[in-house]
Amino acid sequence: MEYNTGIAADSFFASFQSALEYVFELAKTKRIVLVIDEYPYVARASKSLASTLQLLIDKNKDNSRLFLILCGSSMSYMEDHVLAYKAPLYGRRTAQLKINPFDFFEEPGNLLKQEVREPAIYNAVITAIATGCSKMNEISNKIDENTRVCATYIKNLITLGIVKKNRPTAKNRAVRRFTLLRIICSAFGIALCRKTPR
């Protein structure tokens, strides 16, 4: 398999490293776009993938025309293992995009199963907010959890982009101190139940 380049290659690659080395070699003479979809799954299957990419990017950064795109639906994995300071690929990106889910793109239950360990509790929090609970004590009472635990769930839902904080603009300070929460992911099928500031 020479791909009309004159660069000899095996008909199959024994490892991700050999495949990537071949692609980086091709990219020395022509523009190559390489997209690795669902990168978290691939990286979990090949523990050395991130380090291999780091090595090849650093080695070829001055003479490569490769345009590498890493995609992943697991936001927590992408943030912790690609964008984080201690990640092997940290500092090697030229851009990052957060693509919000389309209404028809993914079943919300699957999203929670991918991202969190206790999807049932998160679903309970989402339902509580969607049906009118907007203060921490209201939500914690509804799902029968203490406010400290509840705050952790809500923080994670905000990170995932499923819940958004809304601070009321009421002049009454007693009202202003409460943070209202509303659901912004219409894919959950509860867009009509959003809680908004009065």
Side-chain angles (χ1 to χ4, degrees):
M1 181 174 66
E2 297 186 9
Y3 192 63
N4 298 323
T5 63
I7 302 173
D10 296 330
S11 58
F12 67 93
F13 297 103
S15 65
F16 281 115
Q17 181 169 342
S18 60
L20 289 169
E21 286 174 346
Y22 182 71
V23 172
F24 271 88
E25 191 66 28
L26 288 177
K28 288 181 179 180
T29 57
K30 62 171 61 179
R31 184 65 157 172
I32 300 288
V33 177
L34 174 61
V35 180
I36 302 179
D37 193 18
E38 290 300 348
Y39 175 78
Y41 294 103
V42 182
R44 288 187 184 110
S46 176
K47 302 296 185 183
S48 62
L49 180 58
S51 297
T52 299
L53 284 171
Q54 176 192 34
L55 175 68
L56 291 172
I57 290 170
D58 291 349
K59 179 181 177 181
N60 297 281
K61 62 183 178 181
D62 296 327
N63 60 357
S64 179
R65 300 179 64 190
L66 179 67
F67 189 62
L68 176 62
I69 302 173
L70 303 180
C71 306
S73 58
S74 176
M75 291 171 54
S76 57
Y77 188 95
M78 296 299 284
E79 289 179 359
D80 294 342
H81 299 278
V82 178
L83 303 176
Y85 179 75
K86 293 183 178 180
L89 296 176
Y90 177 79
R92 290 164 180 82
R93 72 180 187 274
T94 53
Q96 69 184 63
L97 295 173
K98 178 182 177 183
I99 309 298
N100 291 321
F102 299 109
D103 289 352
F104 57 85
F105 183 73
E106 183 174 24
E107 181 185 352
N110 287 338
L111 175 62
L112 286 178
K113 286 177 184 177
Q114 288 179 18
E115 297 290 341
V116 300
R117 294 180 180 178
E118 300 169 312
I121 297 178
Y122 284 91
N123 276 320
V125 172
I126 291 168
T127 302
I129 296 170
T131 54
C133 299
S134 61
K135 300 171 186 175
M136 193 67 70
N137 65 325
E138 293 174 347
I139 298 168
S140 62
N141 288 337
K142 185 81 171 180
I143 69 170
D144 197 27
E145 287 281 359
N146 67 58
T147 54
R148 182 180 59 80
V149 172
C150 191
T152 301
Y153 294 133
I154 290 173
K155 179 182 176 183
N156 291 337
L157 288 170
I158 291 171
T159 300
L160 290 173
I162 295 170
V163 169
K164 180 180 178 181
K165 284 185 179 181
N166 267 351
R167 298 189 183 279
T169 56
K171 294 181 180 179
N172 187 328
R173 291 186 178 180
V175 175
R176 289 179 64 188
R177 71 184 179 190
F178 293 114
T179 300
L180 297 182
L181 299 159
R182 71 179 177 88
I183 292 166
I184 61 173
C185 184
S186 60
F188 278 81
I190 44 182
L192 295 178
C193 299
R194 290 176 177 170
K195 183 69 176 178
T196 55
R198 296 192 180 107

